[in-house]
Amino acid sequence: MARNDRWADYATIAALTLIYLLLPTQNSTLDAWYYAACVRHGHELLLAHHLLYNVAGWLWVQAGQAAGLAPDILAAVKALNALAGGASLLVLRQLLRLLLPPDKKRWLWLLLAGASFGVLRFATENEAYIQPILLSLLGSLVWVRYQVNGQKPWHLVVAGFWAALACLFHQIHFCWWLGLLLGTGWYAGRAKLRALLLYTLPALLVPAAYVAALPYWHLPLTVPALWRFVFHDYYAGTATGSISGHGLLLSVVNLGRTFGQVHGSTLALLRLYPALWLAAVAFLSLLAYGAWLTGCSFRQRAYQPAVATAAGLVLVRIHLLILVLHLLFAVYSEGNAEFMVMMPALLAIIAGAGLPWLPSRAVATLGAGLLGWNLAFGLVPSHYLRFTNTGIEPGSALLRQIQQEPTSWFLLDNHNLTLNQLHYHTGRAVGPPNVLPAPTLLVQRPGQSPAQFRRWLRTQLRSGHRVFTTGLDGPQLLDRAQLVYGNQNAELLQGFRTEKADSFPTAFGPYYLTEIR
């Protein structure tokens, strides 16, 4: 039986890893294009918020090129994340093997964690969230071994090393490191100070790495320069934090979206492919069946043991603390969905070890339902369909036009995505100054207003400068931008004559490049 369970574990991990590898998104985010551009051209490899992520991608690509391969850089770094996702499941399996009794199936929890949309999304994209999860899970694995194998000192040092290294791949994993630190102090017995010192010693790597990165950015070796570099994204305004009703609402929504994909494209996909209603009905049926099984088992929970193993109680408490720390930081970051991607792995640990009354059939049902839903409405459409199209491709007419007409203005939806694609294709880190946001966002810049925008537009047209926009007549997906801004671009351009100059096809209809006259 144990051998069959082992093969089920490995089969689940292999199947999910193949999904990650075979279904990379073709709708990469602006950050994904930027990181790929940095790796491709060796620009800005040491970014403050995730210091070593681009370095790992650059080393991966260099190794491939040394082996005689000439991969597409964006595809190559996505493949690295896919492999990291599979490796994370391997480490999670080892953790569950230490915690669950022999009669409990691990592959169910591996399926549930690996099929959650947050994991699927970032294991098929060039974003900096999967690799640090692998490192934090390694830290937890060694930390648990410290608890169950006689508290050997070197286990604490190794656990601290992996947890600290995760922070260098993304600063958000400080929460995971802190949770293990607090657990170390709580469960260390009499030698608390010694245990804390052993765990924190490898954390010196973090400030040392940031100090070593200062010359790369031509910054002085001073404490103020180090402080501003470590918290660069907050000083630059690209990372913010606050507690608000809007942030709490987003936190609830994005926590749900961490497990199941719900997006503005969902309704559009149902209209485009009505057969997907079958997938929706199947998912809801599985969800209802799993909930019914869980409810029945919940009523019988008094007859189940409190936790799966003695070590399980320790692990549940500490990883529940880690989950709460991560969730609080995500809420503080205005419900940032990216900061919730570690939730599926943490919940698999906590629920697997702490809720032994959960029926295996319910966990399997939910895992299968999530996998089917997220494939149908997430990975498969994102891999095969084009949701957006900026028109920026090697040799494309728009790319040539932007480069050859420096006096023309291009007011583009998601202009930062366009700028990062230009960086990737041209190698020039500084984007052309004639690429600006669409009118709706342009008027929100400091000191701007609709009246000032119209005056500027008339001045440019009188001076003979051509002005183009992609903010008119494109597909209207029910996403956040549509809900917030609606059709404001058309309202701002009332009184001007417009003429379609080019079009860029997507699965939901063409985007148009429109000239304003």
Side-chain angles (χ1 to χ4, degrees):
M1 184 68 176
R3 183 176 181 181
N4 290 338
D5 286 347
R6 185 168 64 250
W7 281 110
D9 294 348
Y10 291 132
T12 302
I13 293 169
L16 288 169
T17 305
L18 278 176
I19 289 173
Y20 304 157
L21 285 167
L22 296 177
L23 295 174
T25 181
Q26 71 157 319
N27 297 280
S28 287
T29 64
L30 61 94
D31 284 343
W33 280 102
Y34 171 61
Y35 304 149
C38 292
V39 169
R40 182 178 188 181
H41 303 292
H43 299 163
E44 302 177 1
L45 294 177
L46 298 172
L47 297 174
H49 207 50
H50 29 78
L51 192 72
L52 298 184
Y53 177 73
N54 279 347
V55 174
W58 184 83
L59 290 173
W60 170 256
V61 169
Q62 293 300 308
Q65 292 175 345
L69 303 175
D72 173 80
I73 305 303
L74 182 57
V77 286
K78 288 178 187 176
L80 178 60
N81 276 336
L83 294 174
S88 298
L89 294 176
L90 280 172
V91 178
L92 180 59
R93 175 194 179 271
Q94 294 301 104
L95 267 168
L96 296 174
R97 191 171 69 88
L98 289 173
L99 297 166
L100 301 184
D103 62 329
K104 289 291 183 180
K105 298 182 184 298
R106 298 176 295 267
W107 70 267
L108 306 172
W109 296 103
L110 296 173
L111 174 63
L112 187 62
S116 297
F117 181 67
V119 176
L120 290 170
R121 173 188 176 188
F122 292 115
T124 56
E125 177 62 291
N126 179 32
E127 293 269 15
Y129 301 105
I130 291 294
Q131 294 177 39
I133 291 176
L134 168 61
L135 299 171
S136 285
L137 284 170
L138 283 168
S140 284
L141 176 62
V142 182
W143 191 86
V144 171
R145 285 175 175 165
Y146 167 78
Q147 297 293 337
V148 300
N149 293 335
Q151 296 194 340
K152 297 176 182 178
W154 71 274
H155 276 147
L156 271 185
V157 176
V158 176
F161 168 78
W162 289 122
L165 188 60
C167 297
L168 290 175
F169 275 75
H170 202 292
Q171 290 177 348
I172 183 63
H173 281 258
F174 171 77
C175 296
W176 202 307
W177 179 89
L178 178 62
L180 292 180
L181 173 69
L182 295 174
T184 299
W186 184 260
Y187 291 105
R190 295 179 180 177
K192 290 186 184 296
L193 181 60
R194 178 173 178 266
L196 290 171
L197 287 174
L198 288 172
Y199 177 78
T200 56
L201 183 64
L204 294 174
L205 290 171
V206 176
Y210 276 95
V211 168
L214 291 178
Y216 179 84
W217 290 96
H218 308 290
L219 296 173
L221 296 173
T222 64
V223 173
L226 176 63
W227 180 268
R228 290 188 67 88
F229 176 61
V230 170
F231 298 103
H232 170 271
D233 286 24
Y234 289 95
Y235 283 105
T238 54
T240 58
S242 64
I243 301 293
S244 66
H246 180 257
L248 290 172
L249 178 61
L250 276 180
S251 298
V252 173
V253 171
N254 286 331
L255 182 60
R257 291 188 66 236
T258 298
F259 293 90
Q261 162 70 323
V262 179
H263 189 263
S265 61
T266 304
L267 292 177
L269 286 169
L270 286 169
R271 287 194 297 268
L272 193 62
Y273 301 104
L276 285 175
W277 282 105
L278 297 176
V281 171
F283 170 71
L284 292 174
S285 300
L286 288 172
L287 191 64
Y289 179 57
W292 177 76
L293 290 172
T294 302
C296 294
S297 185
F298 180 77
R299 290 189 289 271
Q300 301 294 323
R301 70 190 185 283
Y303 303 103
Q304 298 289 337
V307 293
T309 68
L313 179 61
V314 174
L315 187 71
V316 167
R317 287 175 176 172
I318 297 309
H319 285 79
L320 182 58
L321 172 62
I322 293 171
L323 183 147
V324 170
L325 290 172
H326 273 290
L327 189 58
L328 288 175
F329 192 84
V331 172
Y332 175 72
S333 302
E334 300 179 349
N336 193 322
E338 287 83 355
F339 292 171
M340 298 182 185
V341 67
M342 66 290 297
M343 295 296 165
L346 287 168
L347 282 174
I349 294 169
I350 295 164
L355 301 176
W357 53 267
L358 277 175
S360 297
R361 190 176 297 177
V363 179
T365 298
L366 181 57
L370 286 177
L371 181 61
W373 174 275
N374 291 328
L375 285 175
F377 292 97
L379 260 64
V380 172
S382 185
H383 177 73
Y384 288 105
L385 303 179
R386 196 156 195 174
F387 293 173
T388 60
N389 189 349
T390 63
I392 302 298
E393 296 175 345
S396 68
L398 182 57
L399 176 59
R400 288 195 303 270
Q401 190 175 2
I402 290 174
Q403 293 175 317
Q404 295 173 5
E405 299 183 20
T407 61
S408 295
W409 296 97
F410 298 86
L411 314 182
L412 306 180
D413 277 334
N414 204 344
H415 83 295
N416 284 321
L417 174 60
T418 299
L419 290 174
N420 291 342
Q421 289 174 330
L422 287 169
H423 180 190
Y424 181 84
H425 291 304
T426 66
R428 291 192 286 273
V430 179
N434 59 336
V435 175
L436 295 174
T440 298
L441 296 177
L442 197 59
V443 299
Q444 296 182 11
R445 287 185 167 184
Q448 295 297 318
S449 69
Q452 288 176 307
F453 166 72
R454 293 188 183 97
R455 284 197 297 270
W456 172 84
L457 186 54
R458 292 188 185 97
T459 299
Q460 300 306 314
L461 296 174
R462 284 196 298 266
S463 301
H465 301 303
R466 303 178 74 188
V467 183
F468 299 88
T469 185
T470 56
L472 299 173
D473 301 324
Q476 302 297 312
L477 298 181
L478 187 62
D479 55 13
R480 183 177 178 180
Q482 179 64 22
L483 290 173
V484 173
Y485 300 116
N487 200 29
Q488 292 182 25
N489 286 325
E491 295 173 8
L492 287 167
L493 294 174
Q494 285 182 356
F496 294 90
R497 187 163 58 90
T498 59
E499 181 179 337
K500 293 181 175 66
D502 203 350
S503 64
F504 316 116
T506 75
F508 308 117
Y511 278 86
Y512 293 100
L513 181 69
T514 301
E515 184 170 4
I516 305 168
R517 299 178 182 273

